[in-house]
Amino acid sequence: MLINGKHHHTIWVNKTNQQLIQVFDQRYFPHQIEVFDIQTTDEAAFAIREMVVRGAPLIGVTAAYGMYLACIEAEEKINPEEYIYDVAKKLNATRPTAVNLAWAITEMLKVIIPIKENSERIEVALKMANQIKEDDILICENIGLNGVEIIRKVAKQKNGKTVNILTHCNAGWLATIDWGTALSPIYHAQKEGIDIHVWVDETRPRNQGANLTAFELNEQGVAHTLINDNTGGHLMQHGMVDLVIVGTDRTAGNGDVANKIGTYLKALAAHDNNIPFYVGLPSSTLDCSIKNGVKDIPIETRDQNEVKYIQGKVDRKIKSVLICPETTPALNYGFDVTPAKYVTGLITERGICEASEEGIRKLFPEKFD
Ligand code: MRU
């Protein structure tokens, strides 16, 4: 997708130095466009933990390249295999909710562990990480192609009048490699010339909606309006939202959906107002080993200062300001889980299914093996 009219991916291997992985530093969007270099597994872990990169699919791809860097570092270790497993553990511990992290690490281990020769292992690891990246692009594109059907139908029902879509957090191309999950149907609708407008939840405390979703929609020329996190219900009561589409960080085998904190409240409001609530779900975010998402999906707790301080641009500089008494304690859950009963459908790369074990089984039977 576009930044300043130029097509970009969120992560890439440097053209002249294959041992250098580069990403956009999402901590400074939209005020500064900076590239962050990842040359070691410690830097890969830092980038994921500190949210230089974020969004479940991008976290997964970054971890895949992290495992490639582990193979390079392993060359100098007495026991390379043991070292690679240690890095896998280190990367796995960076963020607990987004299951793409564990998924990508497992995919990498499957191909690299059987190889005993260092240079071959490095070569195969790079190929596999590149493959995971390319697959993600295709998956997201297909989520868009499947999801645009829903937007098309609403546009038809409204006789071509603007379709208003609400989204929470950032599940656009910045959360993936290209296209995005929840935003991919929106970009495809734009391509088709459907009149769309997006309500962007600011998404406190890290403001992924304000900083990232608004940024990418703006760069892409999609009509949008930023709203504070408490506005969605009011808009829904007054017929100003036709559809909600969000992303997910982990979806359980029963269709319960973990996503950025606040998603559940939007689902409740949508349900109360008879508004369809869809989830863009790449299969890499499915975790069918979890049978009950509400009970069993691990929820990340983050630093309380993310709640107590807010970051923004002041006098051309990015600054953080305190918004409560210094001694007030804060609680910062990163995600919540929306029960499947509030989800109208899961938009996947293989089609749209019901948010239930039966629905998921029809499209992804292999995920229950
Ligand atoms: O904490 P983040 O920014 O990594 O969380 C990302 C989200 O929760 C997004 O809403 C997203 O839908 C999941 S990734 C496509």
Side-chain angles (χ1 to χ4, degrees), residues 26 48 51 53-59 95 98 100 140 167-172 174-176 180-182 203 206 208 212 246-250 258-261 263 279-280 282 285 300 302 334-335:
Q26 301 198 15
I48 299 170
M51 294 174 71
V53 292
R54 25 70 49 209
L58 178 56
I59 288 171
R95 295 200 67 191
N100 301 57
C140 287
T167 193
H168 189 70
C169 193
N170 173 259
L174 292 173
T176 64
T181 56
T203 320
R206 291 286 294 231
Q208 288 95 329
L212 305 173
V246 298
T248 172
D249 296 84
R250 189 184 302 225
N259 193 48
K260 184 52 59 194
I261 192 83
T263 303
V279 175
T285 310
E300 177 177 5
R302 296 186 60 85
F335 302 91

Side-chain angles (χ1 to χ4, degrees), residues 68-353:
Y68 154 62
L69 295 175
C71 295
I72 297 172
E73 289 171 0
E75 255 190 318
E76 286 171 7
K77 307 291 170 192
I78 299 166
N79 186 340
E81 194 174 310
E82 189 180 76
Y83 181 76
I84 289 167
Y85 276 122
D86 284 349
V87 172
K89 242 194 238 159
K90 171 173 76 180
L91 291 172
N92 234 328
T94 49
R95 295 200 67 191
T97 303
V99 75
N100 301 57
L101 180 61
W103 172 82
I105 292 170
T106 307
E107 293 300 297
M108 292 296 289
L109 286 174
K110 270 188 219 160
V111 299
I112 58 186
I113 288 300
I115 301 170
K116 301 297 166 209
E117 205 274 312
N118 283 325
S119 59
E120 190 192 346
R121 195 193 291 121
I122 293 169
E123 197 183 313
V124 167
L126 177 59
K127 248 197 202 151
M128 185 63 185
N130 285 337
Q131 188 61 52
I132 290 177
K133 173 181 164 175
E134 290 308 315
D135 287 351
D136 189 73
I137 297 172
L138 203 64
I139 285 171
C140 287
E141 186 173 6
N142 283 324
I143 287 174
L145 291 167
N146 292 327
V148 72
E149 179 64 24
I150 298 162
I151 302 176
R152 235 184 256 137
K153 268 192 201 146
V154 178
K156 211 168 163 197
Q157 280 159 10
K158 291 189 79 176
N159 291 322
K161 278 205 201 118
T162 310
V163 179
N164 288 297
I165 303 162
L166 185 139
T167 193
H168 189 70
C169 193
N170 173 259
W173 76 276
L174 292 173
T176 64
I177 307 303
D178 210 351
W179 291 109
T181 56
L183 293 196
S184 185
I186 291 170
Y187 291 133
H188 280 86
Q190 180 197 32
K191 264 178 97 179
E192 285 187 15
I194 300 173
D195 187 356
I196 41 168
H197 166 262
V198 184
W199 297 110
V200 180
D201 280 353
E202 64 173 344
T203 320
R204 279 282 286 144
R206 291 286 294 231
N207 289 323
Q208 288 95 329
N211 294 339
L212 305 173
T213 303
F215 171 75
E216 58 167 275
L217 291 174
N218 204 40
E219 293 292 314
Q220 219 59 39
V222 175
H224 63 284
T225 306
L226 182 65
I227 50 175
N228 76 56
D229 287 332
N230 304 317
T231 304
H234 173 78
L235 296 178
M236 290 182 200
Q237 282 176 326
H238 292 274
M240 295 162 81
V241 178
D242 297 302
L243 190 66
V244 180
I245 314 181
V246 298
T248 172
D249 296 84
R250 189 184 302 225
T251 291
N254 67 344
D256 289 351
V257 171
N259 193 48
K260 184 52 59 194
I261 192 83
T263 303
Y264 173 42
L265 290 177
K266 292 299 137 67
L268 286 176
H271 180 77
D272 193 44
N273 290 283
N274 263 321
I275 292 165
F277 182 96
Y278 283 95
V279 175
L281 167 71
S283 56
S284 50
T285 310
L286 254 178
D287 182 1
C288 297
S289 72
I290 292 190
K291 306 279 173 244
N292 182 324
V294 174
K295 262 177 54 195
D296 295 330
I297 292 178
I299 300 296
E300 177 177 5
T301 312
R302 296 186 60 85
D303 195 313
Q304 60 167 331
N305 283 342
E306 290 185 350
V307 179
K308 292 175 67 171
Y309 290 79
I310 194 161
Q311 181 179 285
K313 194 174 174 181
V314 188
D315 298 333
R316 298 184 180 200
K317 281 205 178 100
I318 297 176
K319 287 192 179 150
S320 220
V321 292
L322 182 66
I323 57 164
C324 63
E326 198 138 25
T327 51
T328 292
L331 179 61
N332 186 11
Y333 287 119
F335 302 91
D336 59 26
V337 181
T338 299
K341 64 181 174 188
Y342 298 124
V343 177
T344 311
L346 303 169
I347 310 169
T348 79
E349 70 267 26
R350 292 192 191 162
I352 300 168
C353 70

